[in-house]
Amino acid sequence: EAGQPEMGHLVVSLVFGSVYVVIWFWIFAVIRERGRHFDESKTPLFQALRFTLRNRSARLLLGVYLLAFLAVDVLTAATKYFFDEYIRRPELMPVIMGSMLGCATLSLPGYFYLVRRFDRRTSYLIGAVIWAIGLLGLFVIPQDSSTTVIVGVMIIIGFGIGAAFVAPWSMVPEVIDVELVCTGRSEEGVYTGIMTFLRKATTSLALFSIATSLEIFGYVPPDQLDGGSQSPGAMTTIRVFSTLVPAVLVILSMVVT
């Protein structure tokens, strides 16, 4: 019912939790491991990590993955501050996030096509260019921009973000094959573990860096402002973390790619 946020949170948790549980049961039921024709002896963890990081292709992949998802996490963490404090239209948040994430989802088939039609690098570079253009557009829009302009910019960003969810992970099998050819070993678990760890690390780093920077530059929680506004330093920090920081990270990921 309206006016019961606790019930809404419970329903959302149950729905998404159920979906996630069913997905893992489905994966267990349908996936079969292929026959192995290479050295299956166990490798000590640190030796496996050393082999992995000696692989130049692996280092480049991990660099792209780290930079791309750090950009994703910084953007998503800072977006609420941007629209609450800088644009001053917090009521747009559901539309903004829905537009960005919805378009990121819709873009996935397009990036899968680009991966098959060209290659993974080209697919990612196309998405990264779109993403960077959207972020720079978000930086230059005035505070009194219309809803149409704001949503349009977030749609561009969303279509660019989709590349981060396709290209890096599609590179993993080929990087593993490179290691198999060079060492005779196939350390799928090590690669998956490193990339999962990096994904968690980027989220933590994004939240820590934004929270620390806002505190340093004088951000005051809205319930303590007493009707006032944020300091110029806090406003600049919010704007930079919402636009320029992720844009620089995306550009760096393009260089590494």
Side-chain angles (χ1 to χ4, degrees):
E1 297 179 7
Q4 293 185 338
E6 296 83 1
M7 180 59 67
H9 294 158
L10 176 61
V11 171
V12 170
S13 300
L14 290 174
V15 170
F16 281 94
S18 300
V19 170
Y20 296 151
V21 169
V22 169
I23 287 174
W24 288 111
F25 278 113
W26 178 79
I27 291 174
F28 175 78
V30 302
I31 292 181
R32 298 291 182 270
E33 191 169 5
R34 65 185 179 183
R36 293 176 175 264
H37 305 287
F38 46 84
D39 184 0
E40 294 189 59
S41 59
K42 293 183 178 179
T43 306
L45 174 61
F46 289 105
Q47 185 178 354
L49 287 172
R50 188 171 71 252
F51 285 152
T52 299
L53 296 178
R54 282 167 52 183
N55 183 344
R56 182 174 181 273
S57 298
R59 294 197 302 271
L60 293 175
L61 169 62
L62 295 175
V64 172
Y65 185 78
L66 176 65
L67 291 167
F69 278 97
L70 188 55
V72 171
D73 290 330
V74 169
L75 174 62
T76 53
T79 295
K80 179 171 174 54
Y81 293 104
F82 185 81
F83 286 97
D84 283 2
E85 305 293 348
Y86 181 72
I87 299 296
R88 290 185 174 274
R89 298 178 67 181
E91 72 279 2
L92 287 181
M93 274 303 295
V95 176
I96 293 303
M97 296 305 293
S99 300
M100 183 175 70
L101 299 179
C103 289
T105 303
L106 292 174
S107 72
L108 298 183
Y111 288 113
F112 285 127
Y113 169 79
L114 291 174
V115 166
R116 293 191 298 268
R117 178 66 177 80
F118 300 104
D119 55 55
R120 291 151 180 79
R121 181 176 183 272
T122 301
S123 171
Y124 180 75
L125 289 176
I126 291 172
V129 169
I130 296 172
W131 190 0
I133 290 173
L135 289 169
L136 295 177
L138 189 63
F139 176 74
V140 300
I141 63 172
Q143 290 176 285
D144 58 352
S145 297
S146 67
T147 301
T148 302
V149 171
I150 294 172
V151 172
V153 171
M154 299 307 292
I155 286 174
I156 294 173
I157 293 173
F159 276 111
I161 285 177
F165 292 91
V166 174
W169 278 106
S170 68
M171 297 175 188
V172 173
E174 293 185 352
V175 173
I176 293 173
D177 288 342
V178 170
E179 180 171 344
L180 176 59
V181 171
C182 294
T183 68
R185 297 178 180 275
S186 183
E187 303 288 354
E188 297 97 333
V190 175
Y191 283 94
T192 304
I194 291 175
M195 294 184 75
T196 302
F197 171 77
L198 288 178
R199 187 70 186 91
K200 303 296 184 182
T202 59
T203 301
S204 300
L205 180 60
L207 294 175
F208 174 78
S209 60
I210 292 173
T212 302
S213 299
L214 288 175
E215 183 177 358
I216 291 173
F217 288 98
Y219 175 78
V220 179
D223 58 355
Q224 299 177 19
L225 281 175
D226 296 327
S229 59
Q230 299 290 344
S231 67
M235 295 291 279
T236 300
T237 302
I238 291 170
R239 192 180 179 201
V240 167
F241 268 97
S242 302
T243 57
L244 296 184
V245 170
V248 169
L249 292 169
V250 171
I251 293 170
L252 288 175
S253 72
M254 295 168 63
V255 174
V256 173
T257 304

